[in-house]
Amino acid sequence: MWSEQTELEVLQEIYDLTRAAGAKQNWRKLLTLGYRLERDLKRKLLWIWPTALDLKRLNGVLRQLDIHHVLSIGCGSGLLEWLLGAVADQELRVYGLERDPNWWCSKYAVRSFIPLNYIEQADSKLSPSFFSRCCSGVAPCALLFCYFNNRSAFLEYLSAFEGKWLIIIGPQPALGIHTDPNPLQPQLPDKQWALRDLCEWTEQNVVAIYEKLDII
Ligand SMILES: C[S@@+](CC[C@H](N)C(=O)[O-])C[C@H]1O[C@@H](n2cnc3c(N)ncnc32)[C@H](O)[C@@H]1O
């Protein structure tokens, strides 16, 4: 068991790695450090810790599909989003959206690795322009849901989204962990979404990329 002190030290080391000069180069070191953490703390930072190969593979697919601006809904600490951006360097921008700013700004929450947008913002009526405001004024071409578990919110986000890519990260159904949407059984609201790519990730996780067919 890690003592609380040790956990805090490791956490600090992780934050320092993301803030050092040339921090993006540190993503492999950060992953290695993360693998040493206890599961509870690991999960506070990120539900699924991908391997370097997982991240590289996904980065290759995103590049191939010309996906460069992603808005991650329910991004939590934003560590996955930071990692994706670091691996891709200038090729990819990943922004984050969360709910409950009171929690994320409280002393109990882990610090965020990326600036967070909140659904409770005054201008947060779900719309394409809200999504753009979350992404520094650029319309995101993909929405990302990683270990998201809120069906009604998922459907609302999807219906307000005018881009054509949907990325869902989560467990394989056989793993017995419930997320909604599940990447392989997302029950998308209409037949316009087609599965375009799948990346198998570590510990029986999957990244599924869907394309909306009626948008050219
Ligand atoms: C299981 S956590 C996953 C966090 C992160 N994506 C990860 O993989 O570590 C689900 C997250 O979704 C967020 N969430 C739930 N409903 C939401 C909503 N309507 N809008 C934005 N975020 C939401 C929760 O606050 C929580 O941080």
Side-chain angles (χ1 to χ4, degrees):
M1 271 303 256
W2 292 79
S3 69
E4 196 177 322
Q5 183 59 35
T6 313
E7 286 209 333
L8 290 179
E9 282 168 11
V10 176
L11 196 53
Q12 190 56 52
E13 219 179 312
I14 287 180
Y15 283 111
D16 291 345
L17 280 178
T18 64
R19 285 173 187 165
K24 285 184 176 173
Q25 309 299 323
N26 290 336
W27 65 269
R28 284 177 196 274
K29 277 191 212 156
L30 190 156
L31 281 184
T32 310
L33 204 52
Y35 300 143
R36 290 170 39 203
L37 293 174
E38 291 257 300
R39 200 180 85 156
D40 283 355
L41 179 56
K42 254 175 118 171
R43 282 226 170 136
K44 272 192 206 164
L45 295 176
L46 181 52
W47 265 73
I48 165 69
W49 280 69
T51 65
L53 191 61
D54 292 341
L55 288 170
K56 283 277 184 195
R57 223 183 268 149
L58 177 58
N59 181 44
V61 172
L62 296 181
R63 191 183 292 215
Q64 218 171 23
L65 297 174
D66 218 14
I67 296 176
H68 300 288
H69 289 90
V70 176
L71 178 59
S72 175
I73 311 287
C75 61
S77 75
L79 181 53
L80 177 66
E81 293 67 16
W82 185 90
L83 284 164
L84 288 170
V87 172
D89 203 12
Q90 301 299 321
E91 298 278 326
L92 179 68
R93 295 265 185 274
V94 191
Y95 301 87
L97 180 67
E98 256 298 337
R99 68 174 180 190
D100 196 358
N102 289 337
W103 165 253
W104 289 104
C105 297
S106 77
K107 63 178 181 179
Y108 304 105
V110 289
R111 273 184 279 155
S112 310
F113 291 85
I114 58 170
L116 295 185
N117 296 281
Y118 294 103
I119 186 63
E120 293 88 350
Q121 279 164 215
D123 57 355
S124 65
K125 189 173 166 302
L126 276 187
S127 65
S129 59
F130 173 68
F131 289 142
S132 296
R133 282 196 293 280
C134 294
C135 301
S136 303
V138 179
C141 57
L143 290 188
L144 163 65
F145 295 85
C146 178
Y147 268 78
F148 197 73
N149 200 5
N150 186 337
R151 179 88 195 154
S152 57
F154 169 68
L155 293 178
E156 281 176 35
Y157 283 117
L158 212 54
S159 70
F161 179 54
E162 288 187 338
K164 75 173 200 172
W165 298 105
L166 170 63
I167 305 167
I168 305 174
I169 304 178
Q172 296 206 9
L175 203 55
I177 299 176
H178 181 79
T179 64
D180 201 341
N182 178 278
L184 296 179
Q185 299 171 351
Q187 297 174 283
L188 297 172
D190 50 43
K191 294 198 164 59
Q192 294 168 332
W193 293 95
L195 182 63
R196 273 290 165 260
D197 226 306
L198 270 183
C199 297
E200 306 266 338
W201 269 16
T202 185
E203 294 174 26
Q204 298 187 61
N205 286 284
V206 184
V207 183
I209 302 179
Y210 294 87
E211 180 179 10
K212 198 169 194 182
L213 296 175
D214 62 345
I215 294 176
I216 299 164

